[in-house]
Structure formats: structure tokens, C-alpha cells
Amino acid sequence: MRLNTRRRRAVVRHGAQPLRFAVAASVVAVVAAACGSSGNASSASSTTKPGSGTVSSSAAPITLPVIGDFTGSDAFFGTGQVAGMGPAIAALNKSGGIGGHQLKLEQCDTQSTVSGAEQCATKFASQPVVLAVSVIANLKAALPTLSNSVVLASTNLLNPPYSSNSFQVAPSGATVDDVVDQVAKASHFSTIGIIATDDAVGEAQLGFIKAAAGSLQLDTQFISASATDDTVAMQKLISANVPMIYVAALGAAGAAVIKAYDELKPKMPLVVTGADASYGFLKGISAYEPTSNFYTIPGTPLVPGDVPSSDAAKMSAYISAAKASIGHAPDTINVSGAFAIDVAIALLKGAGLNSSMSAKEAWLHSNTISALTNVSYSNPKLNVLSNVPPGFDKISGTSFTSASMNLAS
């Protein structure tokens, strides 16, 4: 059974080393024009404006500031996001940029610290639009200084708090975890097992799952976020004969759960959140990654089967462009970056860089943005991206294939 209209969201915490955040990852992809190209994300070299002949290379570029974790413990996030932006920026610049002006990024490195994020915010305080590809704790530290900027944030920052000037370039927090319940119900499971960290990340995921569970019973085992051996929790779920295990534990804790699953080799499928559906994480667990029954619920489309059939060709083209630019198939973090730059490009083209902040906010709430799917900020009370299609994918090595929602079939 395939369900192409499900909702999802991303909660991201990543890597095999201990990390400290939840993030979305995820969300959208590249505008149709970007799908056939690749290149450096900060390239300013291009050439032709559609219908207008050659654009002068001396035209001043539009510089878009980016606050990101580019070094330090969370560097995977900022670097992965910016890498995912590359194809869209290269395609935009090749086609003439924005009004003849090339687009380039000016990065400020938080060094994966709160103090670094605060310094970057001070640097960009007067900028009208700021991209933020930092983990949630760092981004929250930066926001008070960015009160006069429209901030496009690639985390679950607004889940559920509302901020008028910050727009979450990801679906709402509940979307991905809703799919846990949808998979269980499509598979006719009456109970599922969950291994969750006993921190805010695990509690948030579990709360969303409970909210949509209905009559579905949850057998939950809690572990420490710093746990390195989760065999006890895994053994309890195996003994309870649950038909499916969902891992509401991210980064190092998630890796420990996967290792325990590999050691005990149960028959039930293991499902991880899209935060851990990334190239770096999967490379890090390659020694004990399950060879079968291993699935993910990504917060961003990863394969053509994750989007409506009308958008499958765009998804395939984006994957090809991203492979050429990044060097591997795009993961949930790369695609989240692509969605962020798509929203930024649409905003700069539609409202203009120098329009008022209220005009930019109004534009985002009143327009549909074309990316891999048509997305929007349809709820003016919550600046969270909507119309992001769901996905349920099988993991094999570092690649993904679309999977049936019915795990019992």
C-alpha cells in the first residue's frame, strides 16, 4: 500500500558522536530550474539573463548571509545544508541570477557554539534576510539580535512557538512522527515498540506519536541520550514480541540502538527518524548497519517515490544534480538546504531584498513556492512550511528506496 498524500516532518540530531539538538530537516528541494545543474554554492560567475542576452559580469552580486555550524561538533549540519543549496544557486546564476545579479552566500561560522551564534547574529543584524543552518540551541541564541531580519530557519524552531520574523523551512514537528502511527495502522499492528531518549528530543517525538496513536498501543523503553549500550531496552521489546520498533533517539544514542539491533538480530523491522537518514550517519554505522528490515521516515523527499508522481521527474533531476555537486545521493540534510535556498530565492525574486520586513512576511504567507513540490506558509499564525509530502523509505547502505507503508505485506 502506497500513500502519496501523507504528511511528515523532520527532527534532526545527527552523527555518530554525541549531539544536542532536534532539527528538521527537513524539508524541501530545488526549484525546477535548478534540477539540471550543479556547482559551487557561492559561485558568482555567470552569464545570461533569460530573454535579455548577456549580463554584465560587473553587476554587483546579491549576498545572502548564512549563520551556520560549519566547524565543531555540529559541522555536519551547516556544511550539509549549504552543500544541498549548491545546485539551485548554480542554476540560478547560470540563468542570469536575480534581475541580472548573481547570488552568493556569505557564511558566518558559529563553531557549533551558542556564543559563536550570538557573534554571527551581531554581524548580520542589519541584513534584511538571513539564512540560518544552525542547530536549534545555537539558532535560538542568535534570534534576539535578528529581530529586524526575516530569518529562514532549517530547524524545528517554531514547533510550536510562533515568531513573526522567523520562518521554519521545514514541516511542523508532528508531521514525521504522525507517519509512525500511519505505518503501524497500514500494517495492522495493534502495538509498536519505541526506544526513546529521556530528554526533550525523545519526549517531543513521543508526544507527537501519542497524539496520533488512537487505539495503537505504545511499548516505550527509555534510554539515556548518552547511552552507548541499549541491548537491555532492545531485549525487552523483543521479549514483548512487538511487530515494529521505532527509534526516537538520535545521533550517538540512535547509533547505540542500531548496534543493539544488529547484535540481537530480531525479525521485526527497525525504523529511524529522517535525522539519521544522512550520508555521514550511515557511513558511521556501516560496521553494524542492518542489512534488511531497516527503514526511515525522512522529513524531506529522498527518492522520486516520496513525491507525487507529477513531481517525480523533478525529484530525479534534483538527485542527479546533487550527486554531481555533492558527490553522493542527497540525504535529508542536503535536501533541507535545497528547500531553504528555494524559499530564499523565491522571496528575493517575489518581494525583493529591500522591501519592508512586513512586506516579506506577507509575501511568504500569500504565495506558493515551486520546488520539488508546491510549498507554502499557509498558516499565518505559525510560520511553518506546509504541503511537504511524506516519505517512508528503506535504507540500504547509504542509499534509499521508496517502501510500502504496509510492513506486514
Side-chain angles (χ1 to χ4, degrees), residues 20-266:
R20 63 184 187 279
F21 68 97
V23 131
S26 196
V27 259
V28 283
V30 73
V31 287
C35 290
S37 303
S38 62
N40 189 309
S42 59
S43 170
S45 63
S46 109
T47 60
T48 306
K49 183 177 180 181
S52 302
T54 301
V55 173
S56 169
S57 60
S58 62
I62 295 173
T63 300
L64 185 62
V66 184
I67 295 175
D69 306 322
F70 301 120
T71 61
S73 60
D74 300 325
F76 72 90
F77 185 59
T79 56
Q81 292 267 322
V82 169
M85 297 176 188
I89 295 178
L92 174 75
N93 288 341
K94 186 176 181 180
S95 66
I98 298 174
H101 297 268
Q102 302 292 284
L103 179 66
K104 69 176 185 178
L105 305 182
E106 181 183 356
Q107 300 177 19
C108 183
D109 182 12
T110 69
Q111 300 179 329
S112 300
T113 64
V114 166
S115 60
E118 291 171 338
Q119 291 174 4
C120 287
T122 299
K123 177 179 180 180
F124 294 145
S126 62
Q127 298 297 313
V129 178
V130 176
L131 276 173
V133 292
S134 300
V135 299
I136 193 166
N138 297 340
L139 179 53
K140 281 189 171 180
L143 281 180
T145 307
L146 298 173
S147 59
N148 293 318
S149 305
V150 169
V151 180
L152 301 178
S154 293
T155 71
N156 274 331
L157 177 72
L158 300 170
N159 184 28
Y162 170 72
S163 172
S164 63
N165 70 305
S166 300
F167 287 77
Q168 179 175 305
V169 191
S172 66
T175 308
V176 163
D177 291 326
D178 283 353
V179 180
V180 177
D181 300 292
Q182 293 172 30
V183 170
K185 292 170 184 176
S187 304
H188 306 290
F189 298 153
S190 59
T191 302
I192 60 171
I194 298 176
I195 298 180
T197 46
D198 57 359
D199 60 1
V201 174
E203 290 173 3
Q205 292 192 74
L206 188 59
F208 291 129
I209 295 169
K210 286 180 176 178
S215 61
L216 182 67
Q217 299 298 306
L218 309 179
D219 187 338
T220 304
Q221 301 296 321
F222 288 98
I223 60 172
S224 168
S226 58
T228 58
D229 183 353
D230 295 334
T231 53
V232 172
M234 184 65 68
Q235 284 173 330
K236 287 181 179 179
L237 293 180
I238 294 171
S239 297
N241 199 30
V242 296
M244 161 185 159
I245 297 175
Y246 177 70
V247 186
L250 303 168
V257 174
I258 295 167
K259 189 172 184 178
Y261 180 90
D262 179 67
E263 291 173 353
L264 298 172
K265 292 182 170 52

Side-chain angles (χ1 to χ4, degrees), residues 227-384:
T228 58
D229 183 353
D230 295 334
T231 53
V232 172
M234 184 65 68
Q235 284 173 330
K236 287 181 179 179
L237 293 180
I238 294 171
S239 297
N241 199 30
V242 296
M244 161 185 159
I245 297 175
Y246 177 70
V247 186
L250 303 168
V257 174
I258 295 167
K259 189 172 184 178
Y261 180 90
D262 179 67
E263 291 173 353
L264 298 172
K265 292 182 170 52
K267 294 181 179 180
M268 71 279 289
L270 185 71
V271 182
V272 297
T273 189
D276 286 342
S278 73
Y279 183 82
F281 181 84
L282 295 175
K283 288 283 284 185
I285 64 165
S286 59
Y288 48 88
E289 179 182 322
T291 56
S292 63
N293 287 329
F294 191 32
Y295 298 89
T296 184
I297 300 172
T300 55
L302 293 178
V303 295
D306 289 347
V307 298
S309 57
S310 58
D311 295 316
K314 287 194 291 185
M315 186 74 217
S316 296
Y318 168 71
I319 291 171
S320 296
K323 282 182 177 178
S325 177
I326 301 167
H328 59 77
D331 60 27
T332 188
I333 295 175
N334 302 143
V335 181
S336 293
F339 265 86
I341 199 65
D342 283 347
V343 172
I345 290 170
L347 177 62
L348 293 175
K349 286 183 173 181
L353 179 65
N354 295 318
S355 62
S356 67
M357 188 163 68
S358 60
K360 291 183 180 72
E361 293 167 0
W363 190 93
L364 286 169
H365 280 297
S366 59
N367 287 273
T368 298
I369 298 166
S370 176
L372 288 183
T373 57
N374 290 326
V375 296
S376 63
Y377 290 92
S378 56
N379 184 351
K381 294 183 179 179
L382 188 65
N383 295 346
V384 173

